[in-house]
Amino acid sequence: MMQKIKSLMTRQGLKSPQESMADLSPVENLRIPSKEELRELREQPIDPLAEQEIIDSIEEIYFSNDSFDMVQHELEKLPPELNLKELEEYRDKLKRQQAAVSKKVADLILEKQPSYVKELERVTALQTNLQLAAVICTNARRQLSVAKEGFTEASLGLLANQRRRQLLTGLLKSLRTIKTLQRTDVRLSEMLEEEDYPGAIQLCLECQKAASTFKHYSCISELNSKLQDTLEQIEEQLDVALSKTCKHFDVSHYTKVQMAYTLLGKTQTAMDQLHMHFTQAIHNTVFQVVLGYVELCAGNADTKFQKMQYKDLCTHITLDSYIPCLTDLCKALWEVMLSYHRTMQWHEKHDKQESTPIPDDAGAESDELLVDRSYVKKKLEHGLTRIWQDVQLKVKAYILGTDMSNFKYDDFIVVLDVISRLMQVGEEFCGSKSEVLQESIKRQSINYFKNYHRARLEELRMFLENETWELCPVKSNFNIAQLHEFKFMGQCRSPSVSPSRQTVTSTSPAQEELSLFQQYIQEGNPFEMHIEHKDEETEDVLASNGYESDELEKSVYQDYDSDSDVPEELKQDYVDEQTGDVPVKSVSRETIRSRKKSDYNLSKSNAPILTNTTLNVIRLVGKYMQMMNILKPIAFDVIHCVSQLFDYYLYAVYTFFGRNDMYESSGLGLISSRLRTTLNRIQESLIDMEAVGENVGVHGPTEDRKEKVPSPHLSQLVVLTNSGTLYGLAQRVVATESLVFLAEQFESLQSHLDTMMPAAKKPFLQQFYSQTVSTASELRKPIYWIVAAKAIDYEQMLLMMAGVKWDIREIMSQHNVYVDVLLKEFEQFNTRLGDVSRHVRIPLPVSNVLWEHCIRLANRTLVEGYANVKKCSNEGRALMQLDFQQFLMKLEKLTDLRPIPDKEFVETYIKAYYLTENDMEQFIKNHREYSMKQLANLVNVCLGSHINKKARQKLLAAIDDIDRPKR
């Protein structure tokens, strides 16, 4: 009983049902408690909670998996001394525990009874099925042994024959294939002659594949090696075909070649080979072109030009063949670059077509394709700069092979234009700034330009020394843009012009230029246009500007028949009074009001005043700018030379007409400090002061003096000492105003020159304009001063004033005679101005300067005359004022110059006579414009009237103390 309970307890314990089942023997598994036992267990009523408590009080060891001896366990627990009562109590406790467990087990058995019955039924059914399966297996084995015994030898023989037949059929097919393979050699040759490289390679590869299938036949192994040789031969021919694309790219031809390389799986190799061929093509092309010209011009068969290096060959080009050879060189290189450009286009187009979605099964193949495509793309892009670098180096060797310093200007411009076009090709080809080309052409240009500029400066000196300063008749609407030398400035903005001349790209999208590669991709060559340009520019421009045509020359002067017919818009000043600039379209009221008096410009049309030399300088500036426009790297050198042309012209005008030591010390500040600085700078940097004789230049430091030019000498035909011509006023006006005109033209070119200048050198240009160009009009003062100083006899007036008696005692109502004489001199001066203006237009600023100088000199002479007076009364002072007022009144009728210059200079001096001692001292300190002699005389004349001897001493001491700086 105890064993049964234990086993039941174990099934209910911590183990899973499978483990529990495994622990029980089959007998225990199948044994069910008897009905009496179950009933007995159920009949004992007990509280479930109490029952659970009893079960919980059972020792843990009873629930363990280990089989142990319970009796032994209990016996071992007994104390040494046994107590019956305690034993009985313990026994009762064990019985209660056993009853509780038995009851729990009985409940569980009753609960699981239906499941147990059902599972038993399934076991029985499985047993029946297994018995049936055993019967089927037995029958099958029996039938198999029957079939084995029934299979005969005849059937096997039949199958063996069928197999032999199939083998022979396969052999026949192989023999036919072998026969075909033997004949492929002939077909391959035909295909190569037709240049069907992809087909030939396809056939060859198929043959190789077939041959490898039949390599067990001895006759095939020989064929295989022959096919390999053929394939190598095809590759060689393919390489030759690839090299042909470098000069004349043909789409179908290149497509075949690329397909062939793709079949060979050598796309990357092909690309490497192609670049090698392009490099070779560039070298061979340039060598052949230059060699052709050298041999043509040499005429000496002994020299072995073929063996020469390309660099040495370039040095044998003659001056006559230089430009045609350069053009042909660029044409040939263009063909190579165009072929490369078209090769790239082919690959781009091909990549786009191939980049269609690829099916999954071709994944590995597509990866390989992508690698190839990426390699080709990178190689082609890298090749752009390599090829352009090769082109640059070849052209550089050609450029530097010849000394261009003695080229004609037009020829040199063509060379620059060709190289400029080539640099544009480089810009479009690979975005290169063509540093190699720029550097080489810069070297040649600086060399050429120094020689050219040197010759032009010498030429300018010759012009200036032969210049008679006569007016050059041009139309009133003359503009430098009409000169051929400045045509390029208009072309800068014209879309129809050759791109090499374009410096300003059009902003309008409609006028956008096609790139050279787009224009000439099919036919033509961008280097074929230059000869046309040269022809266009050889036309004569003089007549169109009125230099040679009598009719046009006449038209310059027939704008004005009479003053009343003058159109309003022509009454404008040619030059603005204050600034010396040309007004845009404004008419000064002052000018219209004063045209009969001060403005002598209406006796001629408002045509610009310029001479042949001025025109020559302007043309030179145009040529220089043309060179600078094409060749930006030497822009600074050119602008520096342009500034020297202006400097030399300005210096010449000053030395011819403005330099006069006698009048420079007049104290009137004729030459501003800025102008003086400019003149000193020009003399130091540009004028060769040592060049006295012809051969001086041979000695001395030649490098330093190479940059300098001897000072020019005025032509002997120009007479500046004749009073009848107002001391050469006409020539002075032409010279000075032509300089002002030249300065204006320079002003108009400033923005264009500024865009050409490198940023670092822009301060030079600004300085040139602010310190030199803007000083041109300032030369009017010293030049016209000389005329003003000689035109009126100031000495005679001083003598007449010395004879006047000033210490009179009664107030006079009649002015002195010297005033009338002076005014008569002014009237005569006015008449002479009118005479001069019949030959040369005298602009308003010029007449204003002349009048201002004359009046200033007259006023200073008056003060000098008054300062020579030994004795003078108050009435004498009043007479001085009367004389001066009479002079002013009559003068104002002669000139419209307002205010009268230096009027206060005279008035202040006359009024100073009335000053008291203290005021006189202050006057001496404040008025430093008067000479010490004039101030001392003022003090001496006042002695006795209102200044005593002591005061006189004090005032004379004050005059001595004052340090009088020159104004």
Side-chain angles (χ1 to χ4, degrees):
M1 181 66 183
M2 198 66 188
Q3 191 66 36
K4 276 191 270 179
I5 290 167
K6 185 182 174 185
S7 69
L8 286 169
M9 280 172 69
T10 310
R11 284 179 64 196
Q12 186 207 358
L14 299 171
K15 278 195 173 184
S16 64
Q18 289 89 343
E19 288 172 331
S20 303
M21 290 293 285
D23 285 344
L24 299 176
S25 68
V27 181
E28 284 171 336
N29 248 335
L30 295 170
R31 185 185 178 288
I32 305 164
S34 65
K35 289 180 183 176
E36 290 81 8
E37 282 175 287
L38 291 171
R39 190 172 53 250
E40 184 188 317
L41 287 168
R42 274 201 309 275
E43 280 171 1
Q44 294 174 355
I46 191 160
D47 181 28
L49 286 171
E51 185 184 333
Q52 189 61 42
E53 275 178 27
I54 294 167
I55 289 169
D56 290 344
S57 67
I58 299 170
E59 280 183 57
E60 193 67 39
I61 195 162
Y62 283 102
F63 294 101
S64 69
N65 288 340
D66 305 328
S67 55
F68 76 103
D69 192 344
M70 291 175 279
V71 177
Q72 183 70 29
H73 173 71
E74 286 300 339
L75 286 173
E76 282 172 1
K77 278 171 64 181
L78 291 175
E81 290 180 13
L82 299 173
N83 185 325
L84 182 61
K85 192 179 177 185
E86 282 176 6
L87 280 175
E88 281 179 346
E89 278 176 12
Y90 186 63
R91 186 197 61 190
D92 291 342
K93 182 185 172 185
L94 285 174
K95 274 188 178 180
R96 279 197 302 278
Q97 285 176 347
Q98 185 188 8
V101 168
S102 297
K103 187 174 183 304
K104 187 82 172 169
V105 169
D107 288 345
L108 284 169
I109 289 169
L110 284 173
E111 195 182 317
K112 305 288 182 186
Q113 181 80 12
S115 301
Y116 173 75
V117 174
K118 196 175 178 182
E119 194 65 36
L120 209 57
E121 284 171 4
R122 284 175 64 196
V123 169
T124 314
L126 183 65
Q127 193 175 358
T128 313
N129 285 340
L130 284 170
Q131 285 170 349
L132 183 61
V135 173
I136 290 167
C137 283
T138 312
N139 290 340
R141 280 180 182 161
R142 192 171 56 250
Q143 284 166 2
L144 272 172
S145 37
V146 171
K148 191 177 179 184
E149 289 163 10
F151 195 66
T152 63
E153 282 182 15
S155 306
L156 287 171
L158 195 68
L159 285 171
N161 286 337
Q162 176 64 19
R163 182 168 170 271
R164 196 175 296 115
R165 183 183 164 194
Q166 281 177 338
L167 285 170
L168 287 170
T169 311
L171 180 62
L172 188 64
K173 194 177 175 185
S174 297
L175 288 169
R176 279 184 184 142
T177 308
I178 289 165
K179 189 180 178 184
T180 312
L181 287 173
Q182 299 286 6
R183 288 180 185 167
T184 50
D185 209 23
V186 182
R187 180 69 192 123
L188 277 171
S189 313
E190 287 172 8
M191 288 174 111
L192 287 176
E193 278 176 28
E194 293 163 11
E195 292 191 348
D196 182 11
Y197 303 110
I201 290 168
Q202 187 83 49
L203 182 60
C204 205
L205 290 172
E206 281 173 10
C207 287
Q208 273 193 326
K209 197 174 178 184
S212 67
T213 313
F214 303 117
K215 64 184 174 190
H216 46 281
Y217 298 112
S218 55
C219 62
I220 289 296
S221 59
E222 189 185 328
L223 176 70
N224 215 351
S225 61
K226 191 178 180 184
L227 281 170
Q228 190 58 42
D229 292 344
T230 310
L231 200 59
E232 284 169 13
Q233 187 188 336
I234 292 172
E235 270 193 64
E236 283 171 20
Q237 288 199 24
L238 198 55
D239 195 43
V240 174
L242 185 67
S243 69
K244 286 179 186 174
T245 62
C246 296
K247 285 190 183 177
H248 303 288
F249 184 86
D250 179 69
V251 175
S252 59
H253 176 79
Y254 189 72
T255 308
K256 279 183 191 174
V257 171
Q258 277 299 324
M259 278 172 67
Y261 273 113
T262 308
L263 286 170
L264 286 172
K266 292 189 174 181
T267 315
Q268 295 188 12
T269 314
M271 204 34 64
D272 296 341
Q273 288 293 105
L274 184 68
H275 280 83
M276 194 182 75
H277 288 313
F278 266 106
T279 307
Q280 195 62 38
I282 289 169
H283 176 76
N284 293 346
T285 303
V286 294
F287 190 84
Q288 288 308 319
V289 170
V290 177
L291 181 68
Y293 275 94
V294 169
E295 287 183 338
L296 187 72
C297 300
N300 180 8
D302 298 341
T303 316
K304 291 184 178 175
F305 293 116
Q306 285 276 6
K307 305 284 182 190
M308 277 191 181
Q309 288 287 322
Y310 169 73
K311 205 170 183 180
D312 300 328
L313 198 62
C314 289
T315 60
H316 286 80
I317 286 285
T318 61
L319 295 183
D320 294 339
S321 61
Y322 189 87
I323 289 174
C325 182
L326 175 65
T327 311
D328 283 354
L329 202 63
C330 290
K331 281 182 187 176
L333 287 169
W334 162 261
E335 291 295 338
V336 176
M337 285 189 282
L338 181 65
S339 294
Y340 194 86
H341 179 76
R342 293 186 68 189
T343 305
M344 285 194 77
Q345 277 190 333
W346 185 92
H347 279 280
E348 280 171 24
K349 192 176 174 186
H350 196 66
D351 285 356
K352 277 180 191 168
Q353 288 171 354
E354 280 192 356
S355 59
T356 47
I358 300 161
D360 293 342
D361 56 351
E365 195 181 331
S366 70
D367 284 351
E368 201 175 314
L369 266 172
L370 282 169
V371 170
D372 277 354
R373 210 179 297 164
S374 160
Y375 178 84
V376 167
K377 193 177 178 186
K378 279 180 186 166
K379 189 81 179 172
L380 282 168
E381 284 170 2
H382 178 65
L384 277 172
T385 46
R386 264 189 55 196
I387 284 170
W388 179 240
Q389 195 66 10
D390 282 351
V391 169
Q392 283 193 89
L393 291 169
K394 297 295 179 195
V395 178
K396 176 190 178 179
Y398 183 82
I399 291 170
L400 299 178
T402 305
D403 179 13
M404 294 191 217
S405 55
N406 297 317
F407 270 36
K408 289 177 186 168
Y409 173 80
D410 288 340
D411 288 345
F412 191 71
I413 284 293
V414 170
V415 173
L416 290 187
D417 213 7
V418 171
I419 300 301
S420 170
R421 173 64 65 99
L422 188 62
M423 287 197 278
Q424 189 192 345
V425 169
E427 178 80 44
E428 289 177 13
F429 187 64
C430 60
S432 166
K433 293 294 172 204
S434 312
E435 286 84 359
V436 174
L437 277 179
Q438 282 196 19
E439 187 51 44
S440 53
I441 200 73
K442 182 179 179 182
R443 267 168 63 186
Q444 281 286 36
S445 299
I446 289 173
N447 183 27
Y448 173 83
F449 197 72
K450 278 182 179 172
N451 275 4
Y452 181 78
H453 178 62
R454 175 78 204 161
R456 296 296 74 76
L457 274 178
E458 283 295 339
E459 207 175 82
L460 179 58
R461 178 167 77 105
M462 190 185 72
F463 265 99
L464 287 166
E465 290 186 345
N466 290 290
E467 180 62 71
T468 55
W469 303 102
E470 294 294 328
L471 197 62
C472 178
V474 291
K475 281 185 175 179
S476 56
N477 63 350
F478 171 74
N479 188 312
I480 58 168
Q482 295 161 2
L483 298 175
H484 253 316
E485 284 78 3
F486 290 91
K487 282 279 189 285
F488 76 94
M489 285 177 72
Q491 288 171 343
C492 286
R493 288 170 289 280
S494 159
S496 63
V497 131
S498 96
S500 66
R501 299 284 179 92
Q502 280 193 314
T503 52
V504 183
T505 51
S506 171
T507 49
S508 161
Q511 292 185 335
E512 269 181 25
E513 276 290 322
L514 287 171
S515 81
L516 293 176
F517 287 98
Q518 289 167 330
Q519 279 178 277
Y520 301 102
I521 196 150
Q522 293 305 332
E523 58 181 354
N525 194 302
F527 295 98
E528 279 167 358
M529 297 170 68
H530 297 288
I531 294 102
E532 295 163 27
H533 277 309
K534 200 176 171 187
D535 292 343
E536 278 172 22
E537 290 181 5
T538 52
E539 66 182 46
D540 184 22
V541 296
L542 292 175
S544 65
N545 286 313
Y547 297 108
E548 292 180 351
S549 158
D550 291 340
E551 282 302 311
L552 287 164
E553 195 170 320
K554 215 180 287 173
S555 72
V556 170
Y557 299 108
Q558 59 196 22
D559 289 41
Y560 293 99
D561 294 329
S562 69
D563 279 8
S564 57
D565 296 328
V566 177
E568 273 301 318
E569 67 269 15
L570 290 177
K571 288 178 183 172
Q572 61 181 350
D573 295 349
Y574 174 59
V575 181
D576 186 68
E577 291 174 49
Q578 277 77 31
T579 61
D581 293 336
V582 179
V584 186
K585 274 191 179 174
S586 63
V587 181
S588 159
R589 286 181 187 170
E590 191 66 31
T591 311
I592 296 168
R593 184 165 63 81
S594 64
R595 70 176 180 271
K596 287 181 183 166
K597 305 267 176 20
S598 329
D599 189 1
Y600 298 88
N601 69 350
L602 296 181
S603 57
K604 284 274 184 292
S605 75
N606 262 5
I609 296 177
L610 70 160
T611 66
N612 281 324
T613 308
T614 325
L615 204 58
N616 183 51
V617 172
I618 290 170
R619 284 179 184 279
L620 268 183
V621 171
K623 284 183 174 184
Y624 282 23
M625 285 176 68
Q626 217 172 327
M627 207 177 284
M628 183 169 35
N629 189 42
I630 295 170
L631 205 78
K632 311 265 188 316
I634 67 159
F636 172 68
D637 302 84
V638 179
I639 286 179
H640 184 253
C641 293
V642 166
S643 74
Q644 285 189 339
L645 293 175
F646 186 83
D647 285 350
Y648 197 66
Y649 194 91
L650 181 137
Y651 187 80
V653 171
Y654 169 71
T655 50
F656 291 173
F657 303 104
R659 182 184 275 168
N660 194 309
D661 300 333
M662 180 182 145
Y663 300 110
E664 278 192 27
S665 58
S666 65
L668 280 175
L670 293 175
I671 297 184
S672 66
S673 58
R674 184 171 64 150
L675 180 57
R676 193 175 297 282
T677 307
T678 298
L679 290 166
N680 289 340
R681 176 187 60 75
I682 296 170
Q683 188 166 302
E684 282 170 29
S685 62
L686 190 62
I687 309 302
D688 187 358
M689 302 306 286
E690 294 172 35
V692 183
E694 287 291 317
N695 305 319
V696 177
V698 181
H699 315 293
T702 49
E703 266 314 303
D704 188 37
R705 292 188 53 195
K706 213 184 213 179
E707 302 292 322
K708 296 187 174 184
V709 195
S711 182
H713 304 291
L714 183 62
S715 167
Q716 292 177 340
L717 298 172
V718 181
V719 181
L720 300 177
T721 52
N722 189 345
S723 61
T725 61
L726 267 181
Y727 306 94
L729 178 61
Q731 285 89 339
R732 291 175 192 276
V733 168
V734 170
T736 315
E737 299 316 304
S738 68
L739 176 67
V740 171
F741 175 76
L742 190 60
E744 284 159 6
Q745 302 318 307
F746 267 76
E747 292 285 358
S748 70
L749 296 171
Q750 183 175 4
S751 58
H752 192 86
L753 291 173
D754 194 60
T755 57
M756 299 288 180
M757 276 295 253
K761 302 286 186 182
K762 284 193 178 182
F764 167 81
L765 189 67
Q766 286 156 3
Q767 194 174 11
F768 168 64
Y769 270 93
S770 62
Q771 293 184 6
T772 307
V773 177
S774 61
T775 59
S777 56
E778 290 180 22
L779 270 182
R780 285 173 173 155
K781 274 190 173 182
I783 289 172
Y784 297 132
W785 167 265
I786 294 167
V787 175
K790 291 179 177 180
I792 288 166
D793 193 348
Y794 303 104
E795 290 298 322
Q796 180 201 0
M797 194 170 74
L798 272 178
L799 288 170
M800 288 184 76
M801 288 177 79
V804 176
K805 188 174 164 60
W806 298 104
D807 56 344
I808 50 175
R809 290 291 164 220
E810 57 186 63
I811 291 175
M812 305 294 284
S813 59
Q814 183 61 37
H815 60 270
N816 282 303
V817 184
Y818 74 87
V819 176
D820 296 326
V821 174
L822 182 58
L823 287 166
K824 197 170 184 184
E825 289 268 321
F826 272 101
E827 282 167 10
Q828 196 180 351
F829 171 68
N830 198 17
T831 311
R832 283 180 182 176
L833 272 181
D835 293 341
V836 172
S837 72
R838 289 194 186 91
H839 303 289
V840 175
R841 175 172 68 85
I842 299 177
L844 184 63
V846 176
S847 62
N848 282 350
V849 166
L850 280 165
W851 276 100
E852 184 186 338
H853 281 334
C854 287
I855 295 167
R856 274 174 176 252
L857 282 166
N859 284 339
R860 281 166 188 266
T861 308
L862 285 171
V863 171
E864 190 60 30
Y866 296 149
N868 288 337
V869 174
K870 301 295 178 205
K871 290 181 179 178
C872 180
S873 60
N874 285 348
E875 290 78 8
R877 283 289 165 184
L879 180 58
M880 286 179 185
Q881 280 182 311
L882 175 68
D883 289 350
F884 187 58
Q885 289 308 317
Q886 176 68 16
F887 172 64
L888 288 180
M889 188 178 71
K890 290 286 175 69
L891 189 62
E892 283 175 352
K893 290 178 183 174
L894 282 175
T895 177
D896 275 350
L897 197 62
R898 301 288 183 275
I900 297 294
D902 280 355
K903 180 181 161 188
E904 292 80 8
F905 185 74
V906 183
E907 288 176 343
T908 308
Y909 190 78
I910 296 170
K911 288 173 186 172
Y913 174 79
Y914 302 106
L915 295 173
T916 60
E917 180 192 329
N918 290 342
D919 290 341
M920 181 73 81
E921 192 175 350
Q922 196 59 42
F923 177 87
I924 288 165
K925 285 178 184 173
N926 293 344
H927 293 272
R928 299 189 178 191
E929 66 268 28
Y930 300 108
S931 69
M932 288 176 74
K933 177 201 158 190
Q934 288 167 349
L935 291 171
N937 177 268
L938 198 58
V939 174
N940 288 330
V941 169
C942 294
L943 179 70
S945 63
H946 54 278
I947 288 179
N948 56 32
K949 282 187 179 181
K950 190 180 175 185
R952 175 194 163 201
Q953 293 300 326
K954 185 183 174 187
L955 289 169
L956 288 175
I959 292 168
D960 287 336
D961 288 346
I962 291 168
D963 176 28
R964 296 179 174 282
K966 294 284 178 198
R967 275 184 66 201

